[in-house]
RNA sequence: GGGCGCUUAGCUCAGUUGGUUAGAGUAUCUCCUUGACAUGGAGAGGGCCACAGGUUCGAGUCCUGUAGCGCCCACCA
């Protein structure tokens, strides 16, 4: 078989071809198979409004590696794909689109608007899926699910109803995070706090006239606030009961400026005496702490804002102003009245909408909540007991800490795109506490309480995460699949998703399935740019994975990303980084090209290389040292790769494979067998190692490994001629052949490498061109070494370009030569007339100094009695052997120096 | 205010359970187009492992503290 390959790997030509091939032959599909162990990953559903970014690329490459690895290991491997309806994000995108037509969603009405969303969904919803396919993701696409699918939606409703029936869902008036731009409530997780630079404003609230306070205290109280506009909603001022400064004011009445409302001074231990003035304005409808105070002290709740954060009729003359515009005017008015005492710069943290980054407003409204503490208890247990493990471990603590302090979850959203709450109201009995509320899987015909048919559904939809928390089981359409694949195996995601999704899936799994949703959670790092900034569109520091795929290929992208991603560490990326992956792909390509060009016909009777087991073809005793060495190295690397993959250390696996293939297989092995490449042992071993290596690299670099594989087995035919059973992606993962691992053989070859390196070094330093062959004498008193060198002499001569090589037991000086010493092996290069004596002497002197230092350090260690007593025997032995060796080398070097004259 | 991570070669980072000569990629310098590959080969230089203590025969690795950077969480108005 002589396969002609171009000298450069061209990813563009191969990628689409093989992806199509895999799909056409259904190689991604997985079904329950009782004879096989299941392995399952559910994809973190990418947001349909997004485009593929590096975070996705990393996330999905990791999953694909796991899936392809387990598939090859013979497990029934399912990667369940799907997308998320991303309620707020998608609605925002569609609202923007219709805004171009001058329309608001209200102009269209709910039904028409949702039609537009579905239309958008149809058009763009699968963009991200196509991009994942470019990356090589081997998801079972036929199973692709969408959180708004009919049966998925049924599961969502079912979950709501069951929790409601259990008393774990309730409706209530509370302060929630309100996004005035999206005009919806948000959960705590959706309103992350960010530091902002603001001010602390000190406002004077005068005492009601006619109230008398003994002494000379001022007739006002100064309160400090960061949001002065909320003063319009104040219904009290609170002080700490222990605060001597304010004792006299407690119970007194103040006049709230601008609005002229009478408010009381109340005492509560919640007030921090040290902050601000020690007196705090209380706005129960616009601050969570004040809300608590308001409830406790039976204060009035005055809501001063519309949903869009303009002030409402309770704001008097400030009605209709935006909250921030009103702030300036209110401050100006207070200043005019002499009621603004001072302004201090103040850092504060405020919640921001995670979708549009608007500062959220704590807002009193009627919402639906999930009572979380009953759900959290079992979710804490399974992680504490290690039934679910986090990789890296440290995230366990983050998870537990959040779970221990869990707050009730606000799940109602005032948007249209999403699962509408299965809550219905009877118009006839609205005043009865519960009677008018009907929670039902299907719309009821009549009110179960009064029989009225005048029933309407709640306008709100559910938080998107209320559907995604069911993902590990709601994605399965039938019970057989669910039974086989649930609990799933690994979950791969980013740290910011732990609370949103991972924690909630664990709770949902335990609640609805009575079992954990997955066993391992692998948390990978965040992808950042070279300056450590998070990659984001707004910063303009994006490296577009699709561009990298276009330029370097998907395999290059995958390999580079993985090789630099240490477990759980953030990834700092620059575009140049991807050249490494491209170069590696090219290296694999060319090594394969070389091997295929040199494989003899005999090995491939029908143009197909038979799958000969090495152990059958040759007894290991029949193999020469070079082949024994590369096989030992291969199986060692296989062992390490297995270990690293099982431990989620993908970078270490990738780098081990890289180093092995490039530096051991190509740089040494292929170079050494080149001169005798038609030798049958070499033929079989080089082919076998390549073939097995391709399998190992396949999870990381699926395209190039398949391309070469197919060229071997299908004579480079186009995919049409390919046999599906021949795809590399379903070949068995190699087994470790322990009997082939031989560390002593590896050491022996290392000695040869050092000898060659030392000759090369001498050549280079003396600028002896490669074309000029030189003579070398290698001397060693060790007979085994001499035998080894004798055995390897052909390769040494070839690689080091020697005219002849003498092997002696005894060292003897030769004029005009330069020597290198490796252990007890002396390498003498015969170089008449080109030796600079002074330079050589200087070099030897430097070496002598270095050796002397090492020797004295070793002597010191070995003369330390505590060391001899306490260190393990093998370490002591190693040290004294080392000392002996160093002394030998030093002696030799000194002799060489003397002989140099 | 808590918690976590990082600090190792010019740059980006590895370094598993402590073992004495600290690795890779990239960049730099020198040489080489030799029939797989210049997206390549060979060689070289480059490090007080942030700092200060401690444990130990032995510390990049374990402990304590300090500094800088970066994340996450938290109801100081």
């Amino acid at each position: 078989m002589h396969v002609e390959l171009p000298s450069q790997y061209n990813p563009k030509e191969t990628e689409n071809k093989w992806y199509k091939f895999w799909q056409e032959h259904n190689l991604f599909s997985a079904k329950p198979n009782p004879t096989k162990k299941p392995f399952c990953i559910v994809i973190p559903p990418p947001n349909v409004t997004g485009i593929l970014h590096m975070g996705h690329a990393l996330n999905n490459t990791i999953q694909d590696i796991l899936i392809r690895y387990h598939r090859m290991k013979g497990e029934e491997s399912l990667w369940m794909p799907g997308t998320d309806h991303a309620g707020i994000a998608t609605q925002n995108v569609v609202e923007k689109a219709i805004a171009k037509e001058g329309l608001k969603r209200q102009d269209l009405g709910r039904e028409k608007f949702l039609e537009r969303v579905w239309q958008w969904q149809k058009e763009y919803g699968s963009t991200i899926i196509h991009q994942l396919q470019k990356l090589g993701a081997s998801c079972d696409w036929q199973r692709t699910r969408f959180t708004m699918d009919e049966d998925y939606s049924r599961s969502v409703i079912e979950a709501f109803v069951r929790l409601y029936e259990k008393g774990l869902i309730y409706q209530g008036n509370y302060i929630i995070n309100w996004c005035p731009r999206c005009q919806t409530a948000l959960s705590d997780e959706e309103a992350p706090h960010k530091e902002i630079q603001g001010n602390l404003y000190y406002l004077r609230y005068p005492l009601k006239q006619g109230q008398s306070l003994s002494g000379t205290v001022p007739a006002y109280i100064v309160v400090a606030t960061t949001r002065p506009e909320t003063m319009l909603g104040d219904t009290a001022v609170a002080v700490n009961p222990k605060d001597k400064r304010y004792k006299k004011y407690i119970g007194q009445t103040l006049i709230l400026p601008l609005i002229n409302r009478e408010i009381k001074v109340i005492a509560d231990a919640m007030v921090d005496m040290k902050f601000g003035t020690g007196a705090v304005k209380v706005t129960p409808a616009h601050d969570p702490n004040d809300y608590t105070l308001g409830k406790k002290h039976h204060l009035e709740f005055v809501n001063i804002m519309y949903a869009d954060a303009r002030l409402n009729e309770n704001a008097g003359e400030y009605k209709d102003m935006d909250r921030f515009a009103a702030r300036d005017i209110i401050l100006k008015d207070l200043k005019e009245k002499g009621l603004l005492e001072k302004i201090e710069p103040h850092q504060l943290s405020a919640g921001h909408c995670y979708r549009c980054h608007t500062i959220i407003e704590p807002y009193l409204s009627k919402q639906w909540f999930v009572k979380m503490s009953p759900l959290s208890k079992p979710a804490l247990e399974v992680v504490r007991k290690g039934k679910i493990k986090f990789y890296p471990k440290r995230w366990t603590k983050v998870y537990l800490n959040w779970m221990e302090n869990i707050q009730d979850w606000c799940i109602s959203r005032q948007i249209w795109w999403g699962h509408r709450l299965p809550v219905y109201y009877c118009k006839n009995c609205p005043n009865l506490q519960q009677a008018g509320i009907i929670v039902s899987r299907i719309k009821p015909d009549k009110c179960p309480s009064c029989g009225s048919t005048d029933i309407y559904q709640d306008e709100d939809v559910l938080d998107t995460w209320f559907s995604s928390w069911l993902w590990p089981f709601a994605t399965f359409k039938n019970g057989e699949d669910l039974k086989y694949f649930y609990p799933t195996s690994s979950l791969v995601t980013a740290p910011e998703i732990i609370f949103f999704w991972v924690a909630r899936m664990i709770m949902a799994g335990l609640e609805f399935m009575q079992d954990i949703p997955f066993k391992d959670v692998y948390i990978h790092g965040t992808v950042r740019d070279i300056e450590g900034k998070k990659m984001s569109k707004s910063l303009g520091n994006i490296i577009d994975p699709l561009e990298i795929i276009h330029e370097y290929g998907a395999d290059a992208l995958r390999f580079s990303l993985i090789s630099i991603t240490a477990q759980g560490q953030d990834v700092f990326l620059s575009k140049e980084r991807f050249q490494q992956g491209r170069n590696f792909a090219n290296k694999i390509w060319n090594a394969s090209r070389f091997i295929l060009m040199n494989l003899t016909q005999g090995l491939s009777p029908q143009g197909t290389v038979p799958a000969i087991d090495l152990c059958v073809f040759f007894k290991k005793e029949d193999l020469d040292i070079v082949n024994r060495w590369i096989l030992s190295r291969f199986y060692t690397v296989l062992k390490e790769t297995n270990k690293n993959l099982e431990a989620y250390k993908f970078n270490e696996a990738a780098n081990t494979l890289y180093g092995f293939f490039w530096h051991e297989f190509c740089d040494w092995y292929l170079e050494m067998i080149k001169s005798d490449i038609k030798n049958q042992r070499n033929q079989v071993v080089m082919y076998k190692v390549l073939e097995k290596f391709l399998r190992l690299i396949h999870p990381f670099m699926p395209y190039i490994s398949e391309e070469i594989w197919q060229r071997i087995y299908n004579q480079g035919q186009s995919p049409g001629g390919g046999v599906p059973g021949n795809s590399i992606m379903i070949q068995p993962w190699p087994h470790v052949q322990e009997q082939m691992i031989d560390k002593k053989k590896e050491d022996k070859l290392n000695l040869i490498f050092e000898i060659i390196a030392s000759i090369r070094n001498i050549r280079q330093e003396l600028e002896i061109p490669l074309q000029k062959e030189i003579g070398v004498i290698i001397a060693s008193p060790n007979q085994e070494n001499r035998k080894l060198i004798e055995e390897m002499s052909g390769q040494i001569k070839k690689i080091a370009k020697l005219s002849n090589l003498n092997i002696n037991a005894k060292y003897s000086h030769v004029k005009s030569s330069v020597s290198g010493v490796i252990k007890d092996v002396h390498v003498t290069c015969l170089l008449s007339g080109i030796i600079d004596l002074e330079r050589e002497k200087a070099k030897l002197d430097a070496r002598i100094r270095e050796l002397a230092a090492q020797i004295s350090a070793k002597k010191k260690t070995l003369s330390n009695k505590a060391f001899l007593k306490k260190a393990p025997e093998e370490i002591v032995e190693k040290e004294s052997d080392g000392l002996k060796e160093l002394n030998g080398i030093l002696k030799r070097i000194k002799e060489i120096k003397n002989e140099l004259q």
Side-chain angles (χ1 to χ4, degrees):
Chain A
M1 170 175 70
H2 289 279
V3 182
E4 284 304 319
L5 275 73
S7 70
Q8 278 194 1
Y9 171 57
N10 185 340
K12 277 194 205 104
E13 278 173 18
T14 62
E15 293 181 358
N16 290 336
K17 176 175 75 181
W18 292 118
Y19 202 86
K20 221 174 119 205
F21 172 80
W22 294 329
Q23 279 196 301
E24 274 167 7
H25 293 285
N26 243 347
L27 297 178
F28 300 154
S29 98
K31 312 183 183 50
N33 178 345
T35 64
K36 283 172 147 189
K37 208 176 127 191
F39 181 84
C40 179
I41 297 179
V42 291
I43 206 167
N47 178 332
V48 289
T49 63
I51 49 154
L52 191 82
H53 56 69
M54 274 302 167
H56 291 124
L58 175 63
N59 177 255
N60 289 289
T61 299
I62 291 170
Q63 293 176 80
D64 200 37
I65 289 171
L66 283 170
I67 284 287
R68 286 179 186 270
Y69 167 61
H70 283 274
R71 194 184 281 128
M72 291 174 83
K73 279 207 331 183
E75 294 165 32
E76 189 67 27
S77 298
L78 170 62
W79 188 4
M80 170 70 84
T83 50
D84 185 316
H85 67 281
I88 301 171
T90 307
Q91 174 155 330
N92 285 350
V93 169
V94 177
E95 281 183 342
K96 252 184 220 162
I98 62 169
K100 282 185 190 150
E101 302 162 25
L103 292 171
K104 282 193 216 144
R105 68 170 152 128
Q106 288 80 0
D107 300 334
L108 290 173
R110 187 165 192 141
E111 215 169 297
K112 281 258 150 51
F113 178 76
L114 287 178
E115 267 172 34
R116 291 293 296 263
V117 182
W118 276 109
Q119 198 185 320
W120 183 91
Q121 169 69 27
K122 234 184 192 166
E123 206 166 327
Y124 300 104
S126 54
T127 305
I128 191 114
I129 298 284
H130 292 309
Q131 294 174 332
L132 286 176
Q133 294 178 339
K134 285 224 144 233
L135 190 67
S138 61
C139 300
D140 189 352
W141 297 111
Q142 281 158 3
R143 292 177 182 262
T144 303
R145 306 303 308 278
F146 179 46
T147 45
M148 290 292 284
D149 285 348
E150 210 180 312
D151 33 11
Y152 197 103
S153 299
R154 248 199 311 279
S155 306
V156 175
I157 298 311
E158 178 68 27
F160 184 97
V161 174
R162 280 206 221 165
L163 291 177
Y164 181 80
E165 284 168 353
K166 255 184 124 172
L168 294 181
I169 283 184
Y170 63 92
Q171 189 187 31
N173 246 313
Y174 295 96
I175 297 266
I176 42 81
N177 301 296
W178 182 265
C179 175
R181 206 218 61 85
C182 302
Q183 297 202 23
T184 179
L186 298 168
S187 67
D188 294 341
E189 289 68 37
E190 290 170 317
H193 281 68
K194 278 181 210 150
E195 294 281 302
I196 51 174
Q197 185 55 52
N199 292 311
L200 199 53
Y201 303 91
Y202 290 79
L203 315 180
R204 283 183 189 170
Y205 286 6
L207 276 167
K208 188 182 174 186
Q209 286 201 342
Q211 302 206 52
S212 55
L213 294 176
S214 56
T216 55
V217 292
Y220 54 83
I221 283 185
V222 179
V223 295
T225 180
T226 55
R227 294 187 296 150
E229 67 281 7
T230 62
M231 59 91 57
L232 303 173
D234 285 1
T235 53
V237 165
V239 297
N240 193 299
K242 288 183 190 152
D243 196 332
K244 284 181 197 142
R245 294 171 295 177
Y246 297 113
K247 272 239 155 86
K248 287 176 189 154
Y249 292 91
I250 295 168
Q252 299 294 328
T253 303
L254 303 171
I255 299 295
L256 184 66
L258 308 178
I259 289 278
N260 297 322
R261 176 162 52 235
E262 293 190 3
I263 59 175
K264 290 271 186 213
V265 178
I266 59 169
D268 197 288
M270 247 176 87
V271 179
D272 179 355
M273 293 191 276
K274 286 188 226 88
F275 187 88
T277 60
V280 55
K281 61 190 270 313
V282 183
T283 323
H286 289 277
D287 182 277
N289 284 320
D290 294 7
Y291 174 86
T292 315
L293 281 175
K295 280 276 171 197
K296 196 167 155 194
H297 295 270
H298 309 291
L299 301 174
E300 201 188 333
F301 288 70
V302 180
N303 187 334
I304 59 161
M305 283 181 205
Y306 296 122
D308 61 359
R310 280 178 308 119
L311 303 191
N312 65 17
E313 61 280 357
N314 290 329
E317 57 177 295
Y318 304 98
K319 180 170 181 292
D320 291 338
M321 290 181 192
D322 172 76
R323 55 182 167 164
F324 296 124
R327 176 180 295 179
D328 295 338
I329 293 168
I330 286 167
L331 287 167
K332 191 175 130 251
D333 291 350
L334 286 169
K335 196 175 176 188
E336 273 169 16
K337 291 186 194 317
L339 296 175
L340 178 59
E341 192 160 293
K342 59 174 172 173
I343 303 175
E344 283 174 353
H346 182 71
Q347 273 241 329
L348 66 147
S349 80
H352 289 68
C353 172
Y354 83 139
R355 287 302 179 206
C356 72
H357 312 294
T358 303
I359 295 180
I360 65 107
E361 190 65 30
Y363 197 61
L364 184 62
S365 69
K366 202 179 207 182
Q367 302 289 345
W368 288 86
F369 298 86
V370 181
K371 203 170 164 184
M372 296 306 273
S373 72
L375 297 175
S376 71
K377 283 196 183 83
L380 282 165
E381 275 302 295
V382 291
V383 171
R384 284 202 187 111
K385 285 191 174 151
K387 283 182 77 182
I388 297 177
K389 287 197 184 74
F390 281 82
Y391 296 85
K393 266 210 309 285
R394 66 186 138 92
W395 295 109
T396 311
K397 221 171 130 182
V398 175
Y399 168 91
L400 290 174
N401 185 48
W402 183 82
M403 201 57 101
E404 279 159 3
N405 299 300
I406 197 157
Q407 303 292 312
D408 285 356
W409 176 13
C410 175
I411 51 169
S412 44
R413 298 289 176 274
Q414 288 65 51
I415 57 172
W416 289 347
W417 177 235
H419 303 101
R420 204 154 161 190
L421 269 70
V423 175
Y424 305 86
Y425 302 96
C426 169
K427 272 197 180 151
N428 223 18
C429 34
N431 293 322
L432 299 168
Q433 188 58 38
Q434 284 296 322
I437 298 177
I438 310 146
V439 170
S440 166
R441 289 169 182 86
I442 45 163
K443 188 178 176 179
D445 298 330
K446 54 184 184 188
C447 174
S449 182
C450 71
S452 162
T453 52
D454 201 356
I455 284 166
Y456 63 99
Q457 188 172 5
D458 198 304
E459 293 292 316
D460 289 356
V461 301
L462 289 159
D463 180 3
T464 301
W465 299 100
F466 190 89
S467 50
S468 13
W469 75 331
L470 312 174
W471 194 247
F473 51 89
T475 42
F476 290 102
K477 282 190 178 162
N478 66 65
E480 197 197 346
D481 284 354
L482 184 60
K483 203 176 159 203
Y484 184 72
F485 289 112
Y486 191 94
T488 68
S489 312
S490 309
L491 185 89
V492 179
T493 193
E496 63 264 27
I497 307 302
I498 294 176
F499 307 142
F500 276 124
W501 194 48
V502 178
R504 287 172 181 158
M505 280 190 288
I506 294 174
M507 291 188 278
L510 292 165
E511 173 67 19
F512 300 112
M513 296 292 297
Q514 288 79 48
D515 201 353
I516 53 170
F518 31 71
K519 296 167 198 100
D520 291 346
V521 180
Y522 177 73
I523 304 287
H524 60 248
T526 306
V527 178
R528 297 173 187 285
D529 71 3
I530 208 74
E531 273 157 25
K533 292 199 194 78
K534 195 166 165 171
M535 281 196 184
S536 75
K537 233 194 267 175
S538 54
L539 284 172
N541 59 352
I542 297 257
I543 300 176
D544 180 2
L546 296 169
E547 200 185 311
I548 300 292
I549 290 175
H550 181 74
E551 218 169 310
Y552 298 128
D555 288 335
L557 170 74
R558 293 167 61 117
F559 188 84
S560 294
L561 257 184
I562 290 305
S563 85
I564 55 173
T565 308
Q567 191 183 66
Q569 284 306 121
D570 285 356
V571 187
F572 294 75
L573 268 190
S574 66
K575 220 177 145 182
E576 296 72 54
R577 215 36 228 239
F578 294 101
Q579 288 170 5
Q580 188 197 357
R582 177 201 59 180
N583 295 355
F584 187 40
N586 197 240
K587 190 71 182 176
I588 295 172
W589 181 258
N590 275 293
S592 308
R593 176 167 170 249
F594 172 73
I595 290 168
L596 292 182
M597 281 191 318
N598 284 293
L599 271 184
T600 55
Q601 294 283 341
L603 267 177
S604 48
Q606 292 94 33
T608 299
V609 186
I612 312 152
D613 193 307
L614 276 174
C615 305
V616 176
F617 201 83
F618 289 117
K619 289 191 202 124
K620 65 176 181 180
E621 291 75 18
D622 296 337
L623 289 173
D624 58 294
I625 178 146
V626 174
N627 283 310
R628 291 290 304 278
W629 165 75
I630 195 67
L631 288 167
S632 176
R633 288 301 305 141
F634 174 80
Y635 286 109
T636 306
V637 162
L638 169 59
K639 221 169 142 178
E640 282 173 29
T641 304
N642 289 344
K643 201 182 78 191
N644 288 326
L645 286 177
E646 298 293 336
Y648 297 93
K649 295 186 175 178
F650 303 103
N651 66 322
E652 291 189 35
N655 291 327
T656 303
L657 291 170
Y658 178 94
F660 167 75
F661 189 81
W662 199 310
H663 299 306
E664 298 189 289
F665 187 65
C666 292
D667 288 349
W668 282 114
Y669 178 75
L670 290 182
E671 290 306 319
M672 284 191 293
I673 64 163
K674 227 175 215 177
S675 52
D676 192 15
I677 196 145
K678 295 295 174 187
N679 174 304
Q680 204 175 27
R681 289 188 301 247
N682 293 340
Q683 288 271 310
V684 173
V685 174
M686 78 176 176
Y687 154 71
K688 269 296 182 186
V689 173
L690 172 69
E691 183 257 16
K692 284 174 193 285
F693 172 80
L694 288 174
R695 302 189 205 195
L696 301 197
I697 206 67
H698 177 258
F700 301 85
M701 307 176 95
Y703 291 113
I704 190 173
S705 51
E706 181 76 292
E707 172 71 18
I708 297 169
W709 182 271
Q710 294 289 343
R711 287 196 187 243
I712 295 173
Y713 287 100
N714 291 324
Q715 298 173 283
Q717 278 180 19
S718 63
V723 182
N726 253 346
S727 169
I728 192 170
M729 62 169 281
I730 50 172
Q731 297 304 313
W733 189 256
H735 289 287
V736 177
Q737 306 282 341
E738 284 288 349
Q739 79 280 5
M740 297 308 270
I741 296 177
D742 187 339
K743 285 273 169 271
K744 280 200 182 112
K745 291 266 182 326
E746 293 185 18
D747 285 345
K748 281 187 170 181
L749 259 283
N750 283 332
L751 179 66
I752 299 298
F753 298 156
E754 282 184 71
I755 289 169
I756 293 170
S758 122
I759 298 170
R760 282 170 168 171
N761 184 319
I762 289 165
R763 289 191 86 112
Q764 185 93 21
E765 287 208 332
L766 298 177
E767 293 174 4
I768 301 157
L770 262 180
Q771 294 89 331
K772 191 181 170 187
E773 298 197 328
I774 59 171
V776 163
I777 301 167
I778 300 179
S780 171
N782 183 320
Q783 196 193 340
E784 217 179 307
N785 282 345
R786 286 202 306 279
K787 220 181 108 199
L788 170 71
I789 294 161
E790 184 65 52
E791 194 183 340
M792 293 295 300
S793 62
Q795 283 100 329
I796 296 173
K797 277 167 80 171
K798 184 92 185 171
I799 294 175
K801 300 270 188 244
L802 307 181
S803 53
N804 60 69
L805 172 61
N806 289 318
I807 300 160
N808 295 333
K810 228 178 121 206
Y811 176 79
S812 64
H813 176 66
V814 179
K815 256 198 173 259
S816 288
S817 70
V818 177
S819 300
V821 180
I822 306 112
K823 300 184 174 153
D824 66 347
V825 178
H826 316 297
V827 181
T828 306
C829 299
L830 308 171
L831 304 160
S832 52
I834 50 170
I835 295 162
D836 179 340
L837 275 184
E838 291 312 309
R839 198 173 129 186
E840 287 308 314
K841 272 194 229 169
K843 262 166 53 193
L844 291 169
D845 280 334
R847 184 84 196 275
I848 288 166
R849 277 194 300 276
E850 191 190 315
L851 282 164
Q854 283 175 20
I855 285 167
S856 82
K858 281 236 182 320
K859 273 187 177 160
K860 200 176 149 196
T861 308
L862 283 164
S863 62
N864 184 338
K865 287 200 179 101
F867 173 75
L868 296 174
K869 210 172 111 191
K870 292 189 182 175
E873 210 171 305
E874 72 253 32
I875 297 294
V876 178
E877 203 175 312
K878 202 172 142 195
E879 283 300 293
S880 62
D881 285 354
L883 180 62
K884 237 180 272 169
E885 193 180 297
L886 286 173
N887 273 324
I889 295 172
L890 180 65
K891 190 171 159 240
R892 249 343 302 146
I893 299 273
K894 280 182 174 164
E895 283 168 14
I896 292 169
K897 198 188 151 196
N898 291 335
E899 290 156 356
L900 207 59
Q901 309 315 323

